[in-house]
Amino acid sequence: MPLGLVALAIGGFGIGLTEFVIMGLLPEVAADFGVSTSAAGWLISGYALAVVVGALGLTVATTRLPRKPVLLGLLLLFIAGNLLSAVAPTYGVMLAGRIVAALCHGAFFGIGAVLAAGLVAPQRKAAAVATMFTGLTAANVLGVPLGTLLGQAAGWRSTFWAITAVGVVAWLGILALVPADASGANNSSVRRELSAFKSVQVWLSIAVTVLGFGGMFGAFTYIAYTLTDVAGFSSGTGPWLLVIVGVGLFIGNVLGGRAADRGVDRTLLIVLVGLAVVLAGFALTAHSRWATIVWLLLMGAFGFATVPGLQTRVMHYAAGAPTLASGANIGAFNLGNALGAWAGGLTISSGWGYASPLWAGAAITVAGLAVMATAAALARAPKNATPEREPAPAA
């Protein structure tokens, strides 16, 4: 495995930690700044919205620039944002730090995916992208529980100091280990990058990303309430139960990447069917603690097994201009998060109980499956047929 992939994964670990660890530290942050829980929630929502803006805006702004220096610049933005969060004297400054750090998120994974794919042979592209996203899954398995424990023991600011240090390590690793020409010469332009969106398959892939990931997060956003109010676990066991989800994410990411290298569309169809079944099964048996533990593992596995395939599919159909489409797809993951959270919250506010977000997630996943089936059928049509095992070379 190229060491450059390890450096990219470390960057993914830091970014994943920034995005998710705040959920476990929100009460401490809200109490420290003297703001309400709903106001503190903007530290999560504001981050997600900034990811979408950065995924498109920064990717467009840096289209003509060499990819490796751009990635290093994005990590400097990440380091600065987390440093600002660590020293923030007020809630407003903390929110600004979160937004600054989030701006790099989509562009980092979008450009990083192109670089990762350029480090390996064509038939290993999905696995290489999965390796980079391993950092994101590791953040959920180890980073979030440990970051939460650190913040609770030494103050929430200590967690953001630690994340800042991770960013520095990733920056040094990419500087030293990722070749400057990993993805080939960047001869693209804004017009050329935008031309990728003429492809119906690119739009269909992005739609599957929104719906497929939205289905998982429709359930995952409110999983703490499901665990305590439905399954009957104590609140203290919540962080450790989420480790099970993280293990599932890791397994799904690795196996999903390997399977996607053998057939992207087939893999995505199978995984989306599996995810819908898991979420429906979870909803039906959420009152059982043992069943809940099994479903948590499977939800993480099937939910994240879609990521390498979805990212590779967008890059494939974007042909010679994959960077902006890749970044847009990262933004689509976060739009899916917002969609799932909204739908799950709507079912709860309608009085359907804390298992209802699981049904909402299953319904959204089925919609994603329908779009994916349509995309696969169009891809098999003679005029649109494109070999999945031999993706077009990235610019």
Side-chain angles (χ1 to χ4, degrees):
M1 179 177 64
L3 291 177
L5 288 178
V6 177
L8 291 170
I10 293 173
F13 176 82
I15 291 175
L17 192 54
T18 299
E19 180 175 18
F20 295 114
V21 78
I22 188 66
M23 297 178 185
L25 297 174
L26 210 59
E28 287 80 6
V29 175
D32 194 14
F33 289 126
V35 298
S36 66
T37 301
S38 59
W42 276 102
L43 296 173
I44 300 172
S45 302
Y47 185 98
L49 293 175
V51 169
V52 178
V53 173
L56 299 176
L58 287 181
T59 304
V60 169
T62 58
T63 294
R64 298 300 298 271
L65 301 178
R67 292 190 177 100
K68 178 179 175 178
V70 169
L71 209 62
L72 291 171
L74 291 171
L75 274 178
L76 289 178
L77 200 64
F78 170 80
I79 293 168
N82 281 288
L83 183 61
L84 187 61
S85 295
V87 301
T90 65
Y91 168 78
V93 175
M94 173 70 173
L95 180 59
R98 294 282 295 165
I99 291 173
V100 169
L103 288 173
C104 85
H105 183 128
F108 177 89
F109 281 112
I111 295 172
V114 176
L115 283 172
L119 290 172
V120 298
Q123 67 272 19
R124 295 286 297 162
K125 288 183 182 295
V129 172
T131 299
M132 186 188 71
F133 277 95
T134 297
L136 189 60
T137 60
N140 283 278
V141 177
L142 298 174
V144 171
L146 293 177
T148 301
L149 290 174
L150 175 63
Q152 291 174 345
W156 63 265
R157 294 178 189 274
S158 63
T159 300
F160 286 92
W161 280 111
I163 296 172
T164 302
V166 171
V168 173
V169 171
W171 190 91
L172 292 173
I174 291 173
L175 177 67
L177 301 174
V178 175
D181 60 346
S183 61
N186 188 2
N187 299 318
S188 192
S189 64
V190 173
R191 178 178 294 180
R192 185 176 182 182
E193 291 289 340
L194 289 173
S195 70
F197 293 95
K198 294 179 181 178
S199 168
V200 172
Q201 288 290 353
V202 169
W203 285 108
L204 289 173
S205 299
I206 289 174
V208 175
T209 297
V210 172
L211 296 171
F213 221 60
M216 176 188 171
F217 269 83
F220 189 61
T221 301
Y222 303 97
I223 196 66
Y225 296 99
T226 306
L227 296 176
T228 55
D229 290 54
V230 182
F233 289 102
S234 66
S235 58
T237 61
W240 303 111
L241 288 170
L242 295 183
V243 173
I244 298 173
V245 180
V247 171
L249 295 178
F250 179 83
I251 295 171
N253 183 57
V254 173
L255 297 183
R258 293 177 180 175
D261 275 326
R262 294 191 293 270
V264 173
D265 287 3
R266 180 177 65 252
T267 297
L268 290 173
L269 288 169
I270 293 172
V271 169
L272 288 171
V273 168
L275 180 59
V277 170
V278 166
L279 292 175
F282 195 171
L284 290 170
T285 60
H287 59 277
S288 167
R289 294 187 181 186
W290 287 110
T292 292
I293 292 173
V294 174
W295 291 126
L296 287 174
L297 179 68
L298 293 176
M299 184 177 75
F302 280 96
F304 219 81
T306 60
V307 174
L310 287 170
Q311 196 67 15
T312 305
R313 194 177 200 278
V314 166
M315 291 162 55
H316 171 51
Y317 283 105
T323 308
L324 182 57
S326 180
N329 200 49
I330 297 297
F333 282 115
N334 282 270
L335 285 178
N337 295 356
L339 171 66
W342 172 79
L346 185 63
T347 62
I348 293 173
S349 62
S350 299
W352 294 346
Y354 288 120
S356 60
L358 295 164
W359 288 114
I364 295 172
T365 302
V366 169
L369 176 62
V371 176
M372 186 62 235
T374 302
L378 290 175
R380 287 193 298 269
K383 65 178 180 179
N384 293 321
T386 307
E388 286 188 11
R389 289 179 61 92
E390 297 180 7

